[in-house]
């Protein structure tokens, strides 16, 4: 299982970014893909998750209405469209894959979760 997040960068408050997660080495259709973030000095937070068939979607309360997750199984890609960004969204964002359903139920990683490298999102005030 390999995951690579990209699309991070510097954006002003109120701006938008789209993160991409490229997956390889596993049948992505059968895996939930989640986005997590970790800001300096803070614990990792589950941001969003989408199940293999896109039937189950999770958003953290802090991102509802601002972030949209989607996936393209044919091209092994998952996206996180982020809008109305604010400085509290500044963090390293990671995508993760999990074969179970828990991650998209509560935004929590499990022992089966595989992590990719992160991408830094910085929102300036």
């Amino acid at each position: 299982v390999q995951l690579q997040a990209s699309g991070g960068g510097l954006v002003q408050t109120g701006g938008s970014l789209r993160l991409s997660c490229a997956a390889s080495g596993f049948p992505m259709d059968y895996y939930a893909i989640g986005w997590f973030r970790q800001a300096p000095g803070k614990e990792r937070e589950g941001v969003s998750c989408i199940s293999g068939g896109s039937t189950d979607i999770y958003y953290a309360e802090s991102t509802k209405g601002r972030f949209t997750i989607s996936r393209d199984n044919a091209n092994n890609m998952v996206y996180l469209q982020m809008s109305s960004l604010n400085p509290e969204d500044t963090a390293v964002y990671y995508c993760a894959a999990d074969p179970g359903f828990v991650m998209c139920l509560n935004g929590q990683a499990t022992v089966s979760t595989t992590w990719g490298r992160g991408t830094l999102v910085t929102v300036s005030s």
Side-chain angles (χ1 to χ4, degrees):
V1 175
Q2 290 189 329
L3 301 160
Q4 179 65 59
S6 62
L10 175 64
V11 64
Q12 292 184 331
T13 295
S16 299
L17 278 176
R18 188 178 81 155
L19 304 184
S20 299
C21 177
S24 62
F26 66 103
M28 201 180 85
D29 308 45
Y30 298 100
Y31 281 70
I33 304 295
W35 286 98
F36 294 77
R37 66 186 180 187
Q38 188 163 22
K42 294 187 177 181
E43 293 188 355
R44 184 181 64 206
E45 175 190 19
V47 173
S48 185
C49 180
I50 186 168
S51 61
S54 302
T55 52
D56 297 313
I57 292 179
Y58 167 88
Y59 292 107
E61 284 296 323
S62 60
T63 67
K64 283 182 179 178
R66 301 189 300 123
F67 291 10
T68 302
I69 193 170
S70 61
R71 64 191 294 159
D72 177 358
N73 287 343
N75 290 299
N76 296 323
M77 296 293 296
V78 174
Y79 304 100
L80 185 69
Q81 179 67 47
M82 307 186 295
S83 60
S84 300
L85 288 163
N86 59 66
E88 289 68 41
D89 295 314
T90 294
V92 177
Y93 283 71
Y94 301 87
C95 58
D98 195 289
F101 65 91
V102 174
M103 190 166 70
C104 284
L105 186 65
N106 59 17
Q108 300 292 317
T110 74
V111 294
S112 301
T113 300
T114 300
W115 299 92
R117 292 192 176 188
T119 185
L120 176 62
V121 172
T122 303
V123 185
S124 63
S125 57

